[in-house]
Amino acid sequence: MSTVTLRPWQRAAFDLFRAGDDPDFLAVATPGAGKTTFALACARATLADERRRLVVVAPTSHLKIQWSLAAHRMGLQLDPDWAPGQGLARDVHGLVTTYQQVAMPASADALRGLAADALVILDEVHHAGDERAWGDGIQRAFELAAKRLSLSGTPFRSDSARIPFVRYDVTAEGDLAHADYTYGYADALRDGGVVRPVYFPRVDGQMEWSTPSGDVLRASFADELVRDQVSARLRTALSLDGDWLPTVLGQAHDRLRRIRRDQRDAGGLVIATDQEHAQGIARLLRNRLDTTADVVVSDDPQASRKIAEFAHNDRPWLVAVRMVSEGVDIPRLRVGVYSTTTSTELFFRQAVGRFVRWQAGRTSQKAYVYVPDDPRLRHHAFQIAEARRHVLRPPGEQSDDLAEHGELDAQVHPDDMAEQLSLFSVVSATATGIAFHAVTEDGVHHFGPDHFDAEPDPPTPDFDDDPMLAIDLPDVPTEAGLVSWSSLSVAEQKDDLRTRNADLAKRLVDMTGWGHARVQGELNQLAGVSKVASATIDQLERRLRYGESWLRRLKRS
């Protein structure tokens, strides 16, 4: 038995989940609020009621590791290396996989059996709608589960196919996912000690580019353009060939240096358009600003390791494409540059969510995300900023009233056809000024950064002092019994044991002259192991002992 202290929203959502009879539950909570802790508390209580498996589906491979480590801290063991055909070890409570893996027919079929009568957690469930095959895989794999807990960092709509296990409300804007519990950014700021206030320095500019027809256009972000040229203007501003991006990077770096005077490990994140763009931004930071930057791209096999290292070191900048747009926990991020042509509200909110994570023990924790003053991004930023101003403005101050921007998301235009892109070229891009804007009933007001530096921080209550937020959670045994406590998770211990077993097998191959498969088969037979991938810690340790004994005998002879 152990006691876990939850935040007020987590406790309220936990009680609602536990009291419900419906097999499906959707919790929408702002990034940084603690969805993982809430979900794992629900999982531990559910598994304590009746022995059943736990399956977690995450958006990326890196998040599989994060879920596995978080589950370990909550007394649950998840296998992040599971693959179809290898079974599941008896000393884990379940597994964590990705939406992409579930979409594979072999994986969906294997999970259908493993997840029957299980508890399934679908993290950032809107990803199940990214591709038709992903939704089909989720449906097949988990329709027999006893309970499905879906999580999302922001409300989402169904623009085409509906996502399995999600209920929808029909609205004028489309079919909106029906959440059983919602905890927004304003709620989190009001509670205090949950998320940071985020500010949006928005930078205008003069952009000049040539169109596929050969015309040269010049516009600022304040100019109205036809739909086809809205994306072209943004792409011009973010180009490595102009001066807009280097100027904004310089302003963001100056802001980060000031913050690092008080918080030495404060970090910055640039979200780039693609891998070539990310590498170019890193060169700009290095050559123009004389600062280092780590680059993380999806096809780098070391990407997860780089993100984990950046989360715990004190290097100033990380440049990434999409890998850290969602779910990745790097609480030291304080400054961001939104330098991607992706302009949907869902992606923007998830990206901003990387900067809101609260760090206990610190006083001022304001975060700043520099964005192009593109009307679509301006609209998204206004919505978040309005929630912040509504909570943090001094008493008696007039309420802000956001300007309506119409159907700005209708201007979200796919990057032009390949033949159009080949004819598109950047002529110039210059940043013309930075401003912190607020929209009130009296119009648009422009403020310098000092105005918002003076805005108060949210309160920092001590949730640990409230006994109503503490819950007692029974220990949950695996099929092999209770797992003895270790600072390392079962998955981490197995990684080490498998590496040591593999190294030992290589030495035995050299000593015996046998083939690798024969040596591995002999070790499995000696230790009573059918597959190394599904072996328990005890079995891997026994296999290692038998192998070391075999090696000693060979050396003596």
Side-chain angles (χ1 to χ4, degrees), residues 55-115:
V55 177
V56 177
V57 186
T60 66
S61 295
H62 177 76
L63 291 178
K64 289 199 303 180
I65 306 299
Q66 282 194 186
W67 268 99
S68 176
L69 296 176
H72 169 64
R73 292 190 292 270
M74 191 67 78
L76 298 171
Q77 304 298 330
L78 296 177
D79 182 1
D81 300 315
W82 176 86
Q86 71 181 33
L88 196 63
R90 297 178 65 251
D91 59 351
V92 296
H93 296 93
L95 62 96
V96 53
T97 183
T98 64
Y99 289 99
Q100 186 174 17
Q101 188 174 16
V102 175
M104 299 168 57
S107 295
D109 290 342
L111 287 167
R112 185 177 177 86
L114 287 172

Side-chain angles (χ1 to χ4, degrees), residues 489-555:
S489 68
V490 166
E492 290 174 303
Q493 295 178 65
K494 287 182 179 180
D495 281 344
D496 177 64
L497 286 168
R498 288 177 187 133
T499 299
R500 291 165 62 188
N501 268 277
D503 290 342
L504 179 61
K506 292 176 184 177
R507 296 169 65 188
L508 288 169
V509 167
D510 293 338
M511 292 288 291
T512 61
W514 292 2
H516 191 77
R518 185 179 177 186
V519 167
Q520 295 284 16
E522 183 70 14
L523 286 172
N524 286 350
Q525 185 175 2
L526 287 170
V529 172
S530 58
K531 295 180 181 179
V532 171
S534 58
T536 65
I537 288 178
D538 288 343
Q539 289 174 323
L540 291 172
E541 288 176 338
R542 185 164 65 248
R543 190 179 190 271
L544 193 62
R545 289 195 300 271
Y546 279 121
E548 290 170 342
S549 176
W550 183 9
L551 187 63
R552 286 194 298 269
R553 292 197 304 272
L554 289 171
K555 288 180 177 179

Side-chain angles (χ1 to χ4, degrees), residues 4 7 12 86 96 193 296 299 338 349 379 442 541 552:
V4 177
R7 290 168 173 164
Q86 71 181 33
V96 53
V296 174
D299 61 358
Y338 193 87
R349 284 182 172 271
H379 176 62
D442 300 323
E541 288 176 338
R552 286 194 298 269

Side-chain angles (χ1 to χ4, degrees), residues 99 124-136 138 163-164:
Y99 289 99
E124 303 298 352
V125 69
H126 53 267
H127 281 287
D130 286 354
E131 296 184 27
R132 176 71 178 269
W134 291 19
D136 292 344
I138 292 296
I163 295 171

